[in-house]
Structures are given as C-alpha cells and as structure tokens.
Amino acid sequence: MSKEDKLRDLEFGRFAEQKAEEFYISEGYAIRERNWRHHKIEIDLIAQRGNIIVFVEVKARSGRDTDPLDAVTFDKIKKMTRGADYYLRCLTGRFEYRYDIFTLTGDMLKYTTAHYPDAFLSPLL
C-alpha cells in the first residue's frame, strides 16, 4: 500500500469518526473522548447521555462488497472491553454502559451509515 493510499484511508477513517460524532450529538449525547488510548488500546468515541456511557467502534469501508462489521473481530472486542473496563474504573460514580458499532460505507461524497447499539457484550463477564 502506497503512502498516498494510507493517507487516503486515514482521512476516510477520520471522516467516518466525524459522522459518528455528529450522529451521537444529534441523539443528545456529549462526546467525552475521541480516539481515547490506553496502552495499545484505542476506543474511537466515548459518548455519554445521562448516566449511560457508550463506547463506540467506528468502521468505514469504501467498497460495497465488504461489510464493515466483518472488521470488528473478537480480538478488537476484547481490547475494547479491556479499555472500557479501565476507563470506567477511573470514573467516580456509577454508570451504565454499552458497546456500539457505527459503520460508514461509500466515499466522502456518497455514503451510507448504520448504527448498531449494544452491538456486543463484554467477553470479560
């Protein structure tokens, strides 16, 4: 993959994260974190409405023949839930939480999005 391709993919990923952020804000959520990192774990968005915290994985694909959900692997889920567990332990107070997936398919001019609330349970349970 060329440098130009990598930069284009990075820009497309940022575009998808921006659309996810706009979606959550339109639904009444406050964005607590963008691209939150802890060690080798990254959570794309962390949003909050009331006492509910949502950990969001954003996936974007330009080709219509690939499903962005296929990119949310079990390893990704394990890392995300470990990061969420750490994040929640650092907060004071009690919160409900869930894991969402937000997908974007197409390109920056013509795209479709999908929101999968409560997409999976923590394998840590």
Side-chain angles (χ1 to χ4, degrees):
M1 180 179 279
S2 72
K3 248 186 195 179
E4 293 82 22
D5 288 340
K6 287 180 183 180
L7 287 173
R8 194 174 327 114
D9 287 350
L10 187 59
E11 182 181 357
F12 188 54
R14 285 192 197 121
F15 176 77
E17 289 174 356
Q18 177 185 348
K19 294 302 169 189
E21 185 175 327
E22 290 170 6
F23 168 79
Y24 281 94
I25 290 170
S26 76
E27 294 291 313
Y29 288 84
I31 304 301
R32 292 181 62 103
E33 307 282 350
R34 293 166 189 85
N35 303 110
W36 179 84
R37 294 177 192 273
H38 175 68
H39 296 287
K40 294 182 178 183
I41 297 168
E42 180 186 343
I43 299 175
D44 295 326
L45 286 177
I46 302 174
Q48 180 178 354
R49 185 171 66 190
N51 75 327
I52 299 171
I53 294 182
V54 182
F55 300 94
V56 183
E57 177 65 17
V58 178
K59 289 296 179 191
R61 292 293 179 265
S62 57
R64 299 212 183 276
D65 57 337
T66 58
D67 186 347
L69 288 177
D70 291 340
V72 184
T73 64
F74 184 68
D75 283 342
K76 177 62 185 172
I77 289 170
K78 285 191 316 187
K79 285 182 180 180
M80 189 174 176
T81 56
R82 275 197 304 268
D85 182 60
Y86 176 81
Y87 187 87
L88 290 166
R89 289 174 190 260
C90 292
L91 299 178
T92 57
R94 296 181 61 87
F95 295 91
E96 293 180 35
Y97 63 93
R98 70 173 198 252
Y99 304 101
D100 288 8
I101 299 172
F102 183 91
T103 63
L104 185 142
T105 306
D107 59 45
M108 288 191 266
L109 298 175
K110 186 176 180 183
Y111 58 87
T112 59
T113 62
H115 172 233
Y116 301 91
D118 216 3
F120 54 86
L121 296 175
S122 173
L124 300 174
L125 299 176

